[in-house]
Amino acid sequence: MFTIANGIILKGENLVPLRENIVVDEGKIIEIGKDTKEGKIIDVEGAVICPSFINGHIHIGDSIIKDEGYSFPLSEMVKPPNGIKHVALSKASDEELIESMKSSMWEMVNSGTTHFIDYREGGIEGVKLLKEASKDIPIKPIILGRDDSFYGDDPDLAKVKKAISKLLKIADGIAPSGFGEITDEVAQLISTECEKQGKISSIHVAESESNQIESLNRNNITEVGKGVKAKFNQLVHLTNPKSNDLEVVSKSNQNVVVCPRANATLNVGVAPLNKMLKLGIKPLLGTDNVMLNSPNMFRELEFSLKIMSVYHDDYLNPVELLKMATTNVCRFDINNIIQKSTIDEGSFAEFMVVNSFSKNYHLNIINRCETKNILYMINKKVSI
């Protein structure tokens, strides 16, 4: 048992700043209060105590090819099965993949992340590799698998059903690449089977303008519209919404993940976060492909804060932005699988204690902090 004393906690789902102490016992927050103190006392006078980060979207297998293919078009970089990353993954040994993924996970842990949602290539073997790589690291991967049988204009649906069944036995859900690579029948099979088994279904939508135009020309519906119609739990990117795409999403129970640094690197646009927030959408934030970016959420937060004011002529609310990296996920049913905690009594102890440079505690995290400014990283797997 220990007490983090005299810090400014960002409490609850809404990250309300309060000067209170936190008592932790056996990995759980058992009491929060101004005067409460139990066990070992850790005085962090004036430091900010923030929920740990969740990286809402990442391709950690790309860790083997950091910065390769820079300036190439999106389709050449990441489109299966012949994109630069897919060719590299197919040539890498299991040992190379495991070591590179371990390195990225430790980078996440050291920069405040305790959970990440991974789009896992390589079918069942790809899922097993990430489980092996993460087993001794204090981080929780949420693994969304995929299978090569999903792709093509005329897939064998019997094979697809079999692949889905096998994947869902060991993965947390399924995440095909995008609607440009799969048929509507495959998309529906994935989302339906995931819903039946209480697993997560996720898909990329509207990452590029060309993807949206192609979808409209071919199907008279946007990729976003298809994602909502197919009832995927999670829609990733929404960088280039059309007409009423965002309004449609806001009326659904699906969650959104945005990846501003990756979109900027690939030159495909900037997601309209301000508009999403005005419509009541509560996005998650992700770093996307490790080949493009470090998986450091501090860097993602600062970039997102500043790029929005340039592209969308309005300042982003820093509280809402920080929630994208910490507590927004707690609003959704998928958190039954993810199990991300807020700073509340009875919650798992998953938070970081960081240096205070500013009286604006949310901007302090977003705009000032770096990995080196983390004083303590508290995880339910770690005790002080």
Side-chain angles (χ1 to χ4, degrees):
M1 183 182 295
F2 61 90
T3 299
I4 304 292
N6 299 318
I8 307 297
I9 68 171
L10 302 183
K11 189 177 182 180
E13 192 176 299
N14 291 318
L15 305 179
V16 178
L18 297 168
R19 192 177 185 93
E20 295 187 333
N21 300 339
I22 303 176
V23 180
V24 177
D25 188 32
E26 296 185 349
K28 280 199 167 184
I29 298 172
I30 62 169
E31 193 172 357
I32 296 175
K34 289 184 178 180
D35 300 314
T36 184
K37 290 183 181 180
E38 298 285 348
K40 181 179 179 180
I41 309 301
I42 302 166
D43 191 335
V44 298
E45 178 59 43
V48 181
I49 303 165
C50 178
S52 62
F53 295 137
I54 174 170
N55 191 330
H57 179 67
I58 187 171
H59 295 262
I60 199 169
D62 298 356
S63 301
I64 59 166
I65 50 169
K66 296 183 180 78
D67 300 322
E68 291 189 25
Y70 177 74
S71 80
F72 281 51
L74 173 65
S75 58
E76 291 184 40
M77 291 278 279
V78 298
K79 187 174 181 178
N82 299 313
I84 290 171
K85 82 164 191 176
H86 294 88
V87 172
L89 288 170
S90 67
K91 291 180 179 180
S93 69
D94 289 354
E95 291 75 18
E96 289 173 320
L97 288 169
I98 286 173
E99 287 307 309
S100 65
M101 288 191 289
K102 280 184 176 181
S103 174
S104 290
M105 281 185 277
W106 276 117
E107 183 175 354
M108 283 193 276
V109 170
N110 292 331
S111 56
T113 296
T114 55
H115 299 68
F116 67 95
I117 303 174
D118 184 64
Y119 268 37
R120 187 84 291 273
E121 295 88 357
I124 289 173
E125 291 307 311
V127 175
K128 289 179 179 177
L129 283 176
L130 179 48
K131 287 192 170 188
E132 173 66 23
S134 65
K135 67 182 182 181
D136 296 321
I137 300 176
I139 196 167
K140 182 175 182 180
I142 294 85
I143 307 173
L144 308 183
R146 60 174 68 168
D147 189 83
D148 287 346
S149 66
F150 297 168
Y151 301 119
D153 295 328
D154 187 27
D156 184 330
L157 294 183
K159 285 185 177 178
V160 171
K161 289 179 182 178
K162 189 174 181 179
I164 290 171
S165 178
K166 287 184 175 180
L167 277 170
L168 290 180
K169 288 179 181 177
I170 65 168
D172 298 301
I174 293 180
S177 180
F179 284 105
E181 290 83 47
I182 62 172
T183 64
D184 291 350
E185 291 80 9
V186 170
Q188 197 62 60
L189 279 173
I190 290 169
S191 64
T192 299
E193 288 305 310
C194 285
E195 184 178 11
K196 282 181 183 178
Q197 297 192 36
K199 299 292 182 84
I200 299 170
S201 59
S202 182
I203 192 165
H204 300 112
V205 295
E207 184 171 9
S208 72
E209 179 83 4
S210 60
N211 286 352
Q212 285 279 73
I213 292 170
E214 183 180 346
S215 182
L216 282 166
N217 290 340
R218 181 182 293 182
N219 305 294
N220 200 33
I221 186 173
T222 65
E223 288 193 329
V224 177
K226 293 180 81 169
V228 172
K229 185 177 179 180
K231 297 183 179 179
F232 278 85
N233 298 125
Q234 187 179 78
L235 306 175
V236 177
H237 291 307
L238 273 81
T239 314
N240 295 276
K242 295 289 188 182
S243 59
N244 68 335
D245 276 345
L246 294 183
E247 286 79 5
V248 169
V249 172
S250 71
K251 294 173 184 176
S252 76
N253 62 352
Q254 291 145 305
N255 76 79
V256 169
V257 187
V258 296
C259 307
R261 280 192 302 155
N263 292 161
T265 303
L266 292 167
N267 194 27
V268 294
V270 178
L273 271 178
N274 286 310
K275 186 174 181 181
M276 290 182 188
L277 291 172
K278 287 175 182 176
L279 288 169
I281 297 171
K282 301 293 184 181
L284 311 187
L285 195 65
T287 61
D288 207 355
N289 303 79
V290 181
M291 68 188 288
L292 303 175
N293 296 310
S294 75
N296 184 317
M297 292 295 288
F298 286 120
R299 298 181 74 172
E300 197 70 39
L301 283 163
E302 184 177 6
F303 180 86
S304 300
L305 178 77
K306 293 171 180 177
I307 199 70
M308 291 304 148
S309 61
V310 174
Y311 272 79
H312 299 295
D313 299 321
D314 196 5
Y315 287 99
L316 197 58
N317 183 322
V319 181
E320 294 301 322
L321 176 58
L322 189 55
K323 285 160 66 174
M324 294 177 202
T326 56
T327 62
N328 272 355
V329 69
C330 302
R331 300 168 51 91
F332 297 101
D333 290 343
I334 64 170
N335 203 42
N336 293 331
I337 294 173
I338 295 168
Q339 297 182 334
K340 181 70 173 64
S341 295
T342 57
I343 299 179
D344 283 299
E345 290 181 356
S347 294
F348 288 117
E350 295 169 340
F351 55 83
M352 67 187 97
V353 182
V354 300
N355 289 124
S356 178
F357 303 101
S358 162
K359 290 185 179 180
N360 185 320
Y361 303 112
H362 304 96
L363 279 177
N364 183 78
I365 304 289
I366 296 167
N367 202 37
R368 303 288 170 182
C369 284
E370 303 176 23
T371 296
K372 66 183 180 181
N373 301 124
I374 297 177
L375 304 174
Y376 297 97
M377 186 70 198
I378 310 300
N379 187 309
K380 61 188 176 185
K381 297 181 180 180
V382 177
S383 61
I384 292 180

